[in-house]
């Protein structure tokens, strides 16, 4: 401050809990990241398709990263705190102590992660009910949502978990409770993963029909009967205990949270695009699709009126941008699939040695290796005879079929670095082709999308970004801040502090365009052919299944 004329800077802290790590940022009022820290979190996979975490480990990581980003800052300048997280299920007993989600009775592991597929039988039975709430999750409930997981706990861990449980939280709501002591849930979590309707509230008949009538009898106390819009200020703000844990001052505003993909959406979708030569300039914000690409990819499209897209989650009212309906397409593993293909290849140890020698990430090394071997043709043409179907963990959208498997066609005997690089390229392309498939389903149902806004760990990969532009034929906008999900979390904190009148105002002021990647339209014919093959792959997979199931 000089001469008492200038107002002191106002800062917000955003905390983003992803699948593999927790990140925090100190963000100013114009959305600039002033400090960033990250910390890995523990994951357990006790058996195939079972994925667990620990809420205590996650909270401890939140504390480490928050303390780091506020070091050296006058804490009085920090006005608000916002959390986003994966939509994993946290279970606590009536005294808020962790309960085990496993037969080993390890209560440290009290989180069923979003990608856990243990509740297949439960979700199949839920879908057989054809209950009307299913219309609002794309027609088919995903095994990754919370109702099947709750039913699994009741049917499998009745004594050690279900009967003792006092609180079932979506992870973002667990974090805001931990910070404030307020058990109110965010509208975002409840609408997107728990079948709550912003307009009609809970539907008793659904819970009774699926065998969870105890949730209704208890007046939804365990899953949430006080619901707040994302960004609303919670209780009296940060409790003294949480303030000590996080290294902040007690009483600062804490916002009702968002799921991570939705925070990414807020962080990118409202940016002013003037002067970037984009078709979406002058078009409504509904022409933008935010794609949040980390362990998974989520495709967030908004509309003024509800649009029912078969196989695409939603329409969800006010779950991301207040007043707008949201459709959320998704690919359940994307970053995880690329890592799986690269790390599982025989040439991976050689890749690691070479990348380390050049102080590069393995992805940066592979990208430059592809440039070396491409000869006169564009890089993307190296996969003319290698095709991948990317549903190694089932299909979220638009087929909503968790039984689908991954496919690779065009394998050879070679196992060298060239072979690894081309397989990596084909996997990246398959993910981008999957995005095109989702966009086509959304457009067929009434969306009109012209521009992609990418964020998340995979948006740091130039090949991934260019393939999304080339294969969808749409420009891809990257934000000024690479960590846009954290800008979304900070937007929540800024709204809770009262410094902005609305989420829309905060979005417009805090998200900024960084770079635009345009599609190379001269390659369109090649990618149209790759897309044709892509669609054939799943058709053939279904044919194989029919042949094998024919008695
Ligand atoms: N610098 C990078 N270059 C290329 N890919 C990256 C980079 N950093 C992360 N990734 C990819 O992003 C994925 C993780 O993204 P991230 O947003 O951190 O995930 P999550 O939010 O699920 O924890 C990884 O699986 C990896 O494939
Ligand atoms: O289901 C989701 C959003 O609705 C996310 O995919 C899930 O929360 C995991 O996110 P990430 O890939 O960023 O870890």
């Amino acid at each position: 401050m000089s001469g008492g004329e200038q107002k002191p800077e106002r800062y917000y802290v955003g905390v983003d809990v992803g699948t593999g790590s927790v990140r925090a940022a100190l963000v100013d009022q114009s959305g600039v990241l002033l400090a960033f820290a990250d910390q890995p979190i523990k994951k357990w996979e006790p058996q195939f398709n079972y994925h667990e975490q620990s809420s205590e480990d996650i909270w401890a990581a939140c504390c480490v990263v928050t303390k780091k980003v506020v070091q050296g800052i006058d804490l009085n300048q920090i006005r608000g705190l916002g959390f986003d997280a994966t939509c994993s299920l946290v279970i606590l007993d009536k005294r808020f102590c962790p309960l085990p989600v496993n037969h080993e009775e390890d209560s440290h592991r009290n989180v069923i992660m979003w990608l856990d597929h243990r509740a297949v039988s439960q979700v199949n039975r839920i879908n057989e009910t054809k209950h009307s709430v299913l219309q609002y999750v794309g027609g088919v409930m995903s095994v990754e949502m919370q109702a099947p997981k709750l039913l699994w706990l009741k049917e499998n861990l009745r004594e050690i978990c279900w009967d003792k449980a006092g609180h079932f939280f979506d992870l973002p709501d667990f974090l805001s409770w931990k910070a404030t002591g307020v058990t109110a849930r965010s509208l975002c979590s409840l609408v997107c993963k728990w079948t709550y309707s912003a307009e009609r509230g809970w539907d008793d008949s659904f819970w009774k029909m699926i065998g969870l009538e105890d949730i209704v009898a208890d007046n939804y106390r365990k899953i949430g009967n006080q619901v707040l819009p994302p960004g609303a200020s919670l209780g009296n703000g940060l409790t003294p205990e949480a303030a000590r844990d996080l290294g902040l001052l007690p009483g600062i505003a804490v916002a009702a949270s968002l799921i991570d993909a939705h925070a990414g959406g807020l962080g990118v979708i409202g940016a002013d695009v003037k002067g970037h030569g984009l078709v979406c300039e002058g078009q409504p914000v509904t022409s933008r699709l935010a794609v949040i690409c980390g362990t998974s990819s989520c495709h967030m499209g908004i509309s003024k009126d509800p649009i029912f897209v078969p196989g695409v989650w939603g329409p969800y009212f006010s779950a991301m941008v207040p007043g707008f309906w949201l459709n959320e397409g998704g690919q359940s593993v994307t970053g995880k699939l690329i890592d799986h293909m690269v790390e599982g290849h025989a040439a991976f140890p050689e890749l690691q040695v070479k990348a380390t020698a050049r102080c590069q990430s393995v992805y940066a090394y592979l990208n430059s290796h592809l440039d070396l071997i491409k000869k006169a043709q564009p890089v993307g043409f190296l996969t003319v005879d290698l095709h991948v179907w990317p549903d190694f963990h089932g299909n979220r959208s638009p087929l909503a079929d968790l039984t689908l498997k991954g496919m690779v066609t065009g394998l050879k005997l070679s196992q060298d670095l060239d072979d690894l690089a081309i397989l990596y390229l084909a996997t990246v392309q398959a993910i981008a082709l999957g995005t095109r498939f989702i966009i086509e389903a959304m457009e067929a149902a009434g969306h009109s999308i012209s521009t992609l806004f990418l964020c998340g760990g995979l948006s740091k990969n130039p090949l991934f970004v260019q393939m999304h532009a080339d294969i969808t034929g749409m420009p891809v906008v990257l934000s000024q801040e690479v960590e846009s999900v954290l800008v979304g979390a900070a937007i929540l904190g800024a709204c809770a502090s009262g410094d902005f009148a609305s989420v829309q105002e905060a979005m417009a002021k805090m998200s900024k365009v960084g770079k635009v990647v345009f599609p190379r339209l001269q390659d369109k014919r090649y990618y149209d052919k790759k897309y044709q093959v892509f669609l054939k792959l799943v058709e053939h997979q279904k044919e194989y299944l029919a042949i094998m199931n024919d008695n």
Side-chain angles (χ1 to χ4, degrees):
M1 251 215 299
S2 70
E5 282 159 18
Q6 253 179 314
K7 281 200 187 143
E9 276 292 347
R10 294 169 169 211
Y11 300 129
Y12 314 101
V13 173
V15 178
D16 165 39
V17 179
T19 299
S21 65
V22 174
R23 281 87 49 165
L26 183 74
V27 179
D28 73 12
Q29 267 192 301
S30 57
V32 173
L33 254 78
L34 304 162
F36 169 83
D38 63 352
Q39 170 90 358
I41 44 179
K42 290 191 192 127
K43 290 178 279 178
W44 289 267
E45 195 177 344
Q47 63 189 85
F48 180 62
N49 271 341
Y50 285 53
H51 297 267
E52 298 172 5
Q53 281 181 322
S54 153
S55 63
E56 285 178 352
D57 174 61
I58 291 169
W59 179 251
C62 292
C63 297
V64 170
V65 289
T66 305
K67 279 184 183 146
K68 280 190 186 159
V69 296
V70 300
Q71 242 169 34
I73 292 290
D74 175 358
L75 295 181
N76 289 297
Q77 289 175 280
I78 298 172
R79 306 258 311 150
L81 170 64
F83 293 98
D84 72 74
T86 63
C87 44
S88 300
L89 176 65
V90 182
I91 295 109
L92 303 179
D93 71 11
K94 294 177 181 87
R95 291 180 304 124
F96 294 96
C97 296
L99 281 171
V101 296
N102 45 73
H103 291 288
E104 298 84 53
E105 302 193 26
D106 178 359
S107 58
H108 195 56
R109 285 153 41 203
N110 68 322
V111 179
I112 303 185
M113 291 180 73
W114 61 272
L115 76 168
D116 185 293
H117 281 193
R118 71 182 67 184
V120 171
S121 143
Q122 289 73 13
V123 83
N124 287 340
R125 279 178 276 143
I126 289 172
N127 284 321
E128 275 161 22
T129 66
K130 305 240 180 291
H131 193 281
S132 57
V133 296
L134 301 178
Q135 285 170 31
Y136 289 86
V137 291
V140 181
M141 180 168 284
S142 163
V143 69
E144 293 173 10
M145 291 182 175
Q146 309 300 19
K149 289 173 176 159
L150 292 175
L151 191 54
W152 186 92
L153 288 172
K154 184 173 178 181
E155 292 177 349
N156 292 276
L157 295 179
R158 182 133 198 172
E159 273 153 39
I160 62 164
C161 182
W162 183 259
D163 287 345
K164 290 187 182 157
H167 309 272
F168 298 104
F169 282 109
D170 223 74
L171 184 53
D173 295 334
F174 163 81
L175 297 170
S176 58
W177 162 73
K178 199 67 186 152
T180 61
V182 176
T183 57
R185 306 303 206 271
S186 159
L187 183 73
C188 171
S189 312
L190 291 196
V191 166
C192 298
K193 308 291 168 172
W194 299 73
T195 73
Y196 185 84
S197 159
E199 295 156 314
R200 296 175 300 281
W202 292 115
D203 187 325
D204 295 355
S205 66
F206 170 71
W207 295 98
K208 288 180 184 165
M209 192 181 264
I210 67 167
L212 291 180
E213 56 291 331
D214 22 2
I215 295 272
V216 184
D218 196 39
N219 191 27
Y220 300 98
R221 198 177 43 83
K222 292 181 187 169
I223 65 170
N225 53 18
Q226 195 200 344
V227 187
L228 291 172
S233 178
L234 290 168
N236 297 321
L238 201 61
T239 62
E241 190 191 348
R244 249 189 331 271
D245 286 354
L246 294 163
L248 299 171
L249 295 179
I252 67 162
V254 180
S257 310
L258 276 173
I259 298 169
D260 54 357
H262 303 62
L266 280 199
V268 297
I269 210 168
D272 180 358
V273 296
K274 263 189 217 90
H276 290 278
L278 286 162
V279 292
C280 68
E281 184 178 336
Q283 287 180 347
V285 69
T286 50
S287 65
R288 304 173 180 196
L289 185 77
V291 190
I292 296 83
C293 330
T295 303
S296 63
S297 290
C298 304
H299 307 71
M300 323 296 281
I302 57 175
S303 57
K304 266 291 173 204
D305 297 309
I307 301 179
F308 293 85
V309 190
V312 171
W313 293 346
Y316 301 135
F317 187 61
S318 276
M320 187 173 85
V321 181
F324 283 84
W325 290 84
L326 169 72
N327 284 105
E328 178 181 350
Q331 293 164 293
S332 198
V333 289
T334 49
K336 190 175 168 69
L337 176 63
I338 295 172
D339 299 345
H340 174 83
M341 298 297 251
V342 170
E343 290 166 16
H345 195 279
F348 181 63
E350 182 191 344
L351 168 65
Q352 272 185 307
V353 170
K354 290 191 164 154
T356 311
R358 274 207 221 153
C359 297
Q360 276 184 325
S361 74
V362 289
Y363 308 105
Y365 189 93
L366 285 173
N367 293 350
S368 50
H369 191 78
L370 285 167
D371 270 332
L372 276 181
I373 59 178
K374 73 178 165 52
K375 304 202 178 84
Q377 298 272 49
V379 165
F381 288 38
L382 284 166
T383 55
V384 67
D385 55 2
L386 185 71
H387 309 282
V388 173
W389 177 261
D391 289 335
F392 285 53
H393 198 50
N395 181 281
R396 239 195 224 180
S397 308
L399 300 173
D401 182 349
L402 70 91
T403 68
L404 287 177
K405 307 282 187 294
M407 298 164 87
V408 183
T409 135
L411 294 171
K412 296 180 294 200
L413 265 184
S414 80
Q415 290 193 313
D416 59 13
L417 204 50
D418 289 3
D419 186 71
L420 165 53
I422 295 170
L423 181 63
Y424 154 77
L425 170 65
T427 306
V428 169
Q429 289 175 331
I431 294 166
L433 290 161
T435 292
R436 173 164 168 182
F437 195 21
I438 291 168
I439 292 172
E440 288 191 0
M442 291 177 78
E443 296 205 310
H447 281 277
S448 177
I449 293 158
S450 69
T451 312
L452 307 184
F453 288 68
L454 249 61
C455 64
L458 285 167
S459 69
K460 296 176 196 161
N461 183 342
L463 179 78
F464 185 89
V465 175
Q466 188 66 57
M467 285 301 129
H468 274 70
D470 293 352
I471 286 173
T472 62
M474 292 183 193
V476 175
V477 178
L478 299 174
S479 290
Q480 200 167 296
E481 293 296 348
V482 180
E483 301 294 340
S484 319
V485 182
L486 282 165
V487 174
I491 285 174
L492 295 175
C495 291
S497 73
D499 289 348
F500 293 99
S502 65
V503 170
Q504 275 94 336
E505 187 197 337
M507 274 165 54
K509 297 214 167 113
M510 291 176 72
S511 53
K512 306 256 158 49
V513 174
K515 182 177 171 196
V516 180
V517 176
F518 288 94
R520 290 178 291 213
L521 295 175
Q522 65 275 23
D523 299 347
K524 184 176 182 311
R525 195 171 137 63
Y526 172 78
Y527 289 116
D528 283 347
K529 288 195 278 181
K530 288 278 296 180
Y531 187 57
Q532 245 180 295
V533 175
F534 180 77
L535 297 179
K536 286 264 180 236
L537 287 173
V538 72
E539 203 179 300
H540 293 164
Q541 183 172 155
K542 288 178 180 169
E543 281 174 24
Y544 304 156
L545 202 66
I547 293 169
M548 296 310 292
N549 288 341
D550 183 25
N551 294 317

